[in-house]
Amino acid sequence: MPVADSCPPAHLRPSPSRRADRDAWQTAAACAGLPPRVVFSKKAKEAAPALRACARCAVRSACEEAVAPAENWFDGVCGGRLWRSGRPVAVPTHLAPAAGTPSVPTSASTLRGGLLG
């Protein structure tokens, strides 16, 4: 009995160059050299280096679009925010990136009034 090939036909697979383009944001990410325990931490104190990296990252939008943290119960830092179970988490002011960095909630009132309505 022949064994079915588990891979899709060649015409349905993304070409290596398209796959590389789609994932290029990962190598350009400011957090690329950080340990996974920092990037995927649920705790603001442990995630602070990733939040600081995110503040100066040129691919924040591409990261958030690709990861879709709110749709995937994501834990960690993505798109300039700390996420826990797909929800943005308040970051204490003393751990937040430098002033003027958008998209990083710094208190529960920010979350209630803005991100979580």
Side-chain angles (χ1 to χ4, degrees):
M1 177 177 287
V3 176
D5 188 358
S6 63
C7 294
H11 71 282
L12 295 178
R13 285 180 270 174
S15 70
S17 63
R18 274 187 44 208
R19 194 175 320 119
D21 289 344
R22 183 187 67 215
D23 297 335
W25 67 269
Q26 292 175 326
T27 56
C31 67
L34 293 175
R37 67 176 167 68
V38 170
V39 177
F40 300 108
S41 177
K42 293 180 181 183
K43 299 177 182 176
K45 187 174 182 178
E46 293 173 4
L51 287 166
R52 286 191 298 272
C54 225
R56 60 179 165 68
C57 188
V59 295
R60 281 171 53 169
S61 301
C63 173
E64 191 162 8
E65 183 179 314
V67 175
E71 298 167 21
N72 294 304
W73 293 77
F74 180 78
D75 290 326
V77 176
C78 178
R81 293 184 289 212
L82 178 61
W83 298 83
R84 191 176 302 138
S85 299
R87 309 253 344 208
V89 176
V91 175
T93 304
H94 71 281
L95 295 175
T101 304
S103 301
V104 181
T106 57
S107 71
S109 62
T110 301
L111 290 173
R112 278 192 302 277
L115 295 173
L116 300 178

